[in-house]
Amino acid sequence: MDWLRFGRRPIITTALVAAAVVVAVVTTSTVRDGVAVSIALAVAIAGVATLTSKGIRATHPALARAALTVTAVDVALFATYFFSATTNFNLAIGAAMSIVLLGLSFLTGASGQISLGNGAFMGVGALIMAIWANHHATTPIAITLLIAVVGGAFVGLLLGLPATRLRGPYLAGMTLAFAVAFTGIVNTFSSWTGGDAGLQLPSAAPAPHWLVSFFSAQTSLFTTGTMWLTDITIVVTGVAFFFMANLFASRTGRAMRLIRDNDVAAELVGVSLPRARVIAFIVSSAYAALGGALWTLINNSVSPPTYSFALSVTILSLIVIGGIGTIPGALIGGLIYAYSTNVISWITTQTGLNPQGNFASQLNGIIFGGLLIVTMLFAPMGIAGAVRRLWVHRRTKTALE
Amino acid sequence: MDPFLTSRIVSDILGGLTNGVIYGLVALSLVLIWRSTGILNFAQGAMPMIATYIGMVVFAHEFSYWPCVAISLVVGFAIGGGTERLLVRHLYGKPEINPIVVMVGFLIVLEGVAAAVWSTEPRGIVNPFSPIDFQLGGKPIAMSAFSLYEVITAMVVMTLVAVLFRYTKLGLQLRASALAPEVSRLLGVRVSRMLTLGWVLSMGVGTITTILVASNFFTGLTPQVMDGIFAFGFIAAAVGGLDSPVGAIISGICIGIILQFVGDFLNSNYIILVALGILIVSLMVRPNGLFTKSSVRRV
Amino acid sequence: MIVVEGLSVSFGAVQALRDVSFEAQTGKITAVLGSNGAGKTTLLRTISGLKEPASGSVMLNERSLLHVKPENIARLGVGHVPEGRGVIGEFTVEENLRLGAMMAKVNLSAGLEEQYERFPVLGERRKQHAAKLSGGERQMLAMARALIAQPSVLLLDEPSLGLAPLVTSQLMHSIHDLCATKNLTVILVEQNASTALRISDHAVVLHLGSVVANDVASKIAADEDLRRYYLGMVE
């Protein structure tokens, strides 16, 4: 009787799922909505049940990560149903940003290097997305996203070739040069990229047929307005985080962390430095490109001046504040980004600044730059690091008592 | 040779030289800080930009060009020394990304503050040098009184720095502090003062560079005036080798001239691409720079 | 004269020196002996201010050196020739010497002449980069660089390390002569005990950070147990 070992957990889980289905059927007006809501609730309950099982993190870490991802994505998807269109838009922009942050976090966490050009890599992905959509309107979104990722990885490889032999400041400087150059490069190929004006997607991207046909026109869930864009972004974000969490935990990830801590020692135990550095850089570029491609999808257009050096610095600030080298740090940074505009305009009104004035328009840069300095000096691992330290501190304290 | 082509080539060389000495100066100022404190200063464009605003804009009503230059320089020195003492000092011995991140943050804060105070509108700086090209046999050549002033000032600054480092007691101490700080302390060198002085000197070079750039009739002073030039200066420093002041200057001038030819014969949009290409190729061939004796990094 | 009293130094949890006390007299050579890890280098680094002690005191002619920065201790006349000589390889021989003369109040060219006279080979190679010198020449340069500042105290950390026996004995001779003619206080850290004891007046033996013997050099040299257990001098 295997299930006895787990105590009453499976029974409780089953009961909860059943209750959830009943609640869903009672509260929703159409059958398909009811099905969708029950699926969402059931998945969440099953995920939480898996996560809270004793010892699962130690024995099946990949399964635990999968359960965590599925639960988080499921809850987020469900939440979009209740959010306003503005909130969903902000959420989508922030989620895509968190993918970019995750890539940078990996680069630094794994190799101790830093890139000041991830805004430009986002731009690469964003442009590829738009260009491809303009030439091949029928390609499924997933494929177009993949093409953008591959394109980002390829540009990362081009720039990353010398990175095999480079230490921090050189790579940072080189990526800075790329970020500063990006707008110029876009203009060089303006027949493709549309120059500063950028590109529009041929038509507002329609929701995929299978999604529409499953829920059909009778339901508002998933297919209304732009909500499905947010949902797609959330799913992609979940996949990106799941992949990265596994990469962090894998042998490659461990080897890369060794490089960050002591590259000479890493080389001595047989880690190939050049390969690991280039891989870390390519992964970070590919993630940035994915984030940029999603932005194009969400905005239905791409405007190259967005992907300026300032964006690269914002990306750096967000991940440093969130916690560089950590996975939760990327999520925190993405959330901050989703609401930073609101917060800053709130500060502007609270302090009585002229919103059209010089100072108000520079507030964003001054605040992010200042936070960048303060975080690096006083809490180099950002919010995620500080929380983790508090947590560990409390646990050891309780353990001691 | 075709006389038209000849004059075009001469023009490119002269124009490239004018840009190149500026890149060389930025590269030199980066090398000064890199050698003394092992930090690549990403705020190397923004710090002197503030000094230039204070000297050349705030005081422009009261004083003429030269006193304003002197005021900018003094402010630049103070910003350099103050930054090293108050901000950079906390970063020695930290992982190498920490100073990078902090200096990028500083760059953004400084540019933001400058734009908040003085707006992003370009400010022309009235100076005694005409921007109109000289005529040679009835044709303009790419050299004006102003660009002559740029080139000569740059040469003088480079020579002064070289003399200081090569032939003076102070230069000897600066070099020793960079190469062997502990041994230098045992010999009575006040190393911590030398580190500050390295930043002060670098800001001196940076401020002169920024004044030269901003005095240009066609550029003017904006908060982000040095962003692009910083990128070219970094490329020059990285190509020449961050350890080598001579390499920085030479590669700065070479890059300036090459890019002028690219802009003239190909397309000015290709300039930045070619510059990036030069950087990537040279880093692949000689990762430590073309002008440094290759050395093994210690654990 | 250097007086060390009750000196304790630790690196985190590791105690490198425990309650070390001894005197180094003016005009005499005091050898500090002991095996690897005995704390000899830490002792010198503490005297010259590179390492803060946890407790105890270091006095230079009645003046406390505690909390004085290394560059100021150097300016008080303490010359420290560090482990591995500390010659700046990127500098020429003459630049190394000029750096040494920086804080001295002496005339530079007279100082250089004096050192070139004492170590003629340095005079011959004055324009060469120090990286090109041999081990013995580097040691000479390091000594000359310390001496050009006219110190009253000379701290020598393993000067014989890596040198051929003949070179070592010449070096020890010049240390002995210098000490006598310049009336220096010399503290000589050596692993090579027999060579050091030959020219020293006094010797301190360290073991795992503690003083196990502190006596006239000839007595230490004659003590069988010390020789065997702490100095590794087995016949």
Side-chain angles (χ1 to χ4, degrees):
Chain A
M1 297 305 268
D2 205 28
W3 59 272
L4 272 181
R5 276 200 299 137
F6 295 106
R8 279 168 302 178
R9 183 179 298 276
I11 301 171
I12 296 175
T13 311
T14 320
L16 279 173
V17 170
V21 172
V22 172
V23 168
V25 170
V26 171
T27 52
T28 50
S29 50
T30 66
V31 179
R32 283 172 196 266
D33 275 6
V35 170
V37 172
S38 5
I39 291 174
L41 284 174
V43 168
I45 291 161
V48 172
T50 317
L51 271 180
T52 48
S53 301
K54 266 196 189 121
I56 191 129
R57 281 159 160 243
T59 51
H60 299 94
L63 180 65
R65 283 193 290 272
L68 181 62
T69 315
V70 169
T71 315
V73 168
D74 180 74
V75 170
L77 286 180
F78 193 60
T80 56
Y81 182 60
F82 302 100
F83 288 157
S84 70
T86 326
T87 307
N88 275 339
F89 178 79
N90 284 341
L91 213 59
I93 292 285
M97 176 53 94
S98 75
I99 297 177
V100 182
L101 299 180
L102 189 61
L104 185 55
S105 193
F106 174 70
L107 176 67
T108 306
S111 71
Q113 303 186 90
I114 199 132
S115 160
L116 299 178
N118 277 28
F121 282 113
M122 272 184 94
V124 170
L127 279 169
I128 291 177
M129 183 83 187
I131 294 169
W132 191 273
N134 269 314
H135 289 83
H136 312 270
T138 52
T139 316
I141 290 170
I143 306 286
T144 323
L145 284 176
L146 259 181
I147 290 168
V149 169
V150 171
F154 179 70
V155 178
L157 175 70
L158 279 186
L159 274 184
L161 279 177
T164 56
R165 315 194 190 176
L166 296 184
R167 309 241 335 133
Y170 279 100
L171 186 71
M174 194 181 70
T175 47
L176 175 137
F178 177 55
V180 171
F182 183 70
T183 347
I185 296 173
V186 169
N187 280 325
T188 311
F189 302 106
S190 57
S191 59
W192 281 74
T193 60
D196 272 351
L199 294 169
Q200 287 281 325
L201 289 187
S203 57
H209 290 302
W210 57 267
L211 202 63
V212 179
S213 61
F214 178 74
F215 291 106
S216 76
Q218 57 176 288
T219 170
S220 57
L221 194 67
F222 290 121
T223 48
T224 325
T226 55
M227 194 198 297
W228 72 276
L229 286 175
T230 308
D231 292 336
I232 278 194
T233 310
I234 287 170
V235 170
V236 173
T237 309
V239 172
F241 270 75
F242 178 64
F243 179 74
M244 189 58 86
N246 285 318
L247 191 58
F248 257 85
S250 70
R251 206 170 153 260
T252 319
R254 281 203 306 277
M256 286 174 171
R257 279 197 293 282
L258 183 58
I259 292 173
R260 175 196 60 190
D261 297 336
N262 190 339
D263 53 3
V264 178
E267 199 146 34
L268 286 177
V269 298
V271 175
S272 159
L273 281 187
R275 223 188 61 192
R277 285 218 182 105
V278 168
I279 289 175
F281 189 64
I282 290 175
V283 168
S284 126
S285 318
Y287 265 62
L290 178 58
L294 286 170
W295 272 18
T296 298
L297 192 64
I298 299 162
N299 288 316
N300 205 34
S301 67
V302 53
S303 157
T306 311
Y307 303 97
S308 62
F309 176 56
L311 180 66
S312 289
V313 175
T314 306
I315 291 170
L316 180 69
S317 312
L318 290 168
I319 191 59
V320 165
I321 294 164
I324 200 159
T326 68
I327 294 178
L331 265 188
I332 298 170
L335 267 179
I336 294 176
Y337 187 71
Y339 286 94
S340 63
T341 329
N342 294 0
V343 171
I344 284 169
S345 58
W346 179 80
I347 293 176
T348 312
T349 44
Q350 289 298 308
T351 49
L353 284 168
N354 171 14
Q356 261 74 51
N358 277 333
F359 195 76
S361 60
Q362 297 304 325
L363 206 54
N364 191 54
I366 295 173
I367 288 178
F368 272 122
L371 282 175
L372 202 52
I373 299 174
V374 171
T375 317
M376 213 63 214
L377 287 179
F378 300 107
M381 293 297 277
I383 296 175
V387 168
R388 186 182 295 170
R389 214 168 47 202
L390 272 178
W391 178 252
V392 169
H393 185 74
R394 233 186 57 191
R395 284 236 304 233
T396 39
K397 230 172 91 180
T398 26
L400 285 175
E401 282 159 3
Chain B
M1 213 182 348
D2 176 11
F4 175 69
L5 190 64
T6 317
S7 79
R8 198 170 162 191
I9 289 173
V10 170
S11 278
D12 285 346
I13 291 176
L14 291 176
L17 181 69
T18 319
N19 291 336
V21 290
I22 297 292
Y23 305 155
L25 280 180
V26 173
L28 177 66
S29 66
L30 287 173
V31 168
L32 287 178
I33 284 182
W34 174 260
R35 274 177 50 128
S36 63
T37 52
I39 286 174
L40 181 59
N41 181 17
F42 283 94
Q44 186 64 36
M47 290 163 66
M49 175 273 293
I50 297 282
T52 309
Y53 263 109
I54 293 176
M56 311 304 291
V57 173
V58 176
F59 288 94
H61 302 296
E62 282 111 287
F63 301 105
S64 61
Y65 189 70
W66 298 112
C68 285
V69 169
I71 293 169
S72 306
L73 256 181
V74 172
V75 176
F77 288 147
I79 291 177
T83 306
E84 198 276 339
R85 282 280 149 126
L86 300 175
L87 189 62
V88 179
R89 191 137 288 208
H90 306 285
L91 300 167
Y92 298 143
K94 294 275 165 63
E96 66 187 9
I97 70 155
N98 292 29
I100 297 175
V101 170
V102 169
M103 293 326 286
V104 169
F106 198 44
L107 158 76
I108 297 308
V109 171
L110 291 180
E111 284 185 355
V113 168
V117 177
W118 294 292
S119 90
T120 48
E121 280 301 302
R123 306 279 182 130
I125 293 175
V126 181
N127 67 80
F129 302 97
S130 158
I132 297 164
D133 284 349
F134 293 129
Q135 302 268 324
L136 194 71
K139 278 188 205 146
I141 54 163
M143 182 57 69
S144 61
F146 179 75
S147 43
L148 209 58
Y149 159 62
E150 273 186 301
V151 173
I152 290 173
T153 311
M155 297 289 180
V156 169
V157 169
M158 289 164 185
T159 316
L160 281 179
V161 171
V163 167
L164 173 74
F165 273 81
R166 191 71 34 209
Y167 300 108
T168 66
K169 266 183 146 187
L170 188 64
L172 194 67
Q173 295 184 67
L174 281 164
R175 280 192 291 153
S177 306
L179 291 168
E182 190 168 274
V183 169
S184 304
R185 294 187 86 184
L186 290 178
L187 294 172
V189 177
R190 300 193 193 284
V191 172
S192 119
R193 254 183 231 179
M194 293 303 136
L195 299 185
T196 311
L197 205 60
W199 278 72
V200 169
L201 273 176
S202 169
M203 270 329 124
V205 175
T207 306
I208 292 174
T209 317
T210 312
I211 293 174
L212 288 179
V213 171
S215 298
N216 189 326
F217 176 78
F218 303 103
T219 318
L221 182 59
T222 63
Q224 300 187 326
V225 69
M226 295 303 283
D227 275 5
I229 292 168
F230 173 87
F232 288 117
F234 165 76
I235 291 174
V239 168
L242 276 174
D243 281 321
S244 161
V246 180
I249 292 168
I250 295 176
S251 58
I253 293 173
C254 292
I255 286 174
I257 293 174
I258 292 172
L259 296 182
Q260 192 76 15
F261 275 97
V262 170
D264 186 18
F265 282 86
L266 294 172
N267 178 338
S268 62
N269 281 329
Y270 287 123
I271 287 177
I272 188 74
L273 268 181
V274 172
L276 262 181
I278 292 175
L279 176 66
I280 291 171
V281 170
S282 81
L283 286 179
M284 284 171 73
V285 181
R286 286 293 302 266
N288 290 319
L290 298 176
F291 293 87
T292 34
K293 291 165 221 136
S294 60
S295 64
V296 179
R297 203 173 55 82
R298 282 179 219 96
V299 185
Chain C
M1 186 169 91
I2 293 268
V3 181
V4 172
E5 205 154 309
L7 199 66
S8 294
V9 175
S10 50
F11 293 93
V14 182
Q15 207 163 15
L17 292 177
R18 293 162 210 270
D19 197 20
V20 170
S21 304
F22 71 94
E23 283 182 17
Q25 305 280 349
T26 309
K28 301 247 166 85
I29 298 178
T30 306
V32 177
L33 308 172
S35 55
N36 248 337
K40 306 182 302 275
T41 296
T42 305
L43 177 62
L44 288 198
R45 288 173 65 85
T46 312
I47 294 174
S48 59
L50 289 173
K51 179 80 192 144
E52 280 281 312
S55 62
S57 69
V58 179
M59 311 282 279
L60 167 67
N61 305 329
E62 315 288 306
R63 191 184 192 289
S64 170
L65 295 185
L66 282 192
H67 311 304
V68 182
K69 286 183 186 158
E71 51 266 39
N72 292 329
I73 291 179
R75 282 160 192 262
L76 288 171
V78 178
H80 183 160
V81 179
E83 204 178 9
R85 288 133 191 148
V87 163
I88 300 182
E90 291 91 337
F91 277 17
T92 62
V93 169
E94 188 151 314
E95 282 175 326
N96 268 290
L97 291 173
R98 271 171 56 202
L99 186 66
M102 198 72 63
M103 59 183 169
K105 314 220 162 7
V106 292
N107 180 311
L108 177 66
S109 54
L112 286 175
E113 272 322 302
E114 188 194 336
Q115 298 310 320
Y116 291 150
E117 221 165 89
R118 183 173 291 123
F119 305 105
V121 65
L122 296 181
E124 289 161 23
R125 311 199 147 194
R126 62 177 82 177
K127 295 288 175 212
Q128 270 187 25
H129 280 274
K132 299 227 167 83
L133 300 181
S134 72
E137 289 161 350
R138 279 186 202 206
Q139 189 60 52
M140 285 178 206
L141 176 55
M143 299 246 305
R145 192 176 63 182
L147 289 170
I148 200 169
Q150 308 282 9
S152 62
V153 177
L154 197 56
L155 312 176
L156 300 172
D157 199 345
E158 303 257 13
S160 77
L161 195 74
L163 299 187
L166 190 66
V167 184
T168 304
S169 88
Q170 280 171 356
L171 186 73
M172 291 298 159
H173 264 292
S174 42
I175 293 172
H176 188 250
D177 289 350
L178 269 169
C179 177
T181 53
K182 297 236 160 195
N183 203 27
L184 292 175
T185 308
V186 176
I187 300 182
L188 171 64
V189 158
E190 264 298 339
Q191 241 187 104
N192 187 345
S194 54
T195 324
L197 285 171
R198 221 166 287 151
I199 60 161
S200 305
D201 302 284
H202 201 91
V204 177
V205 180
L206 287 180
H207 182 67
L208 298 177
S210 303
V211 175
V212 290
N214 177 1
D215 212 330
V216 181
S218 55
K219 278 200 183 162
I220 301 255
D223 188 323
E224 268 305 314
D225 286 349
L226 276 180
R227 290 168 64 100
R228 181 162 312 164
Y229 296 123
Y230 296 115
L231 304 178
M233 297 159 69
V234 187
E235 272 86 62

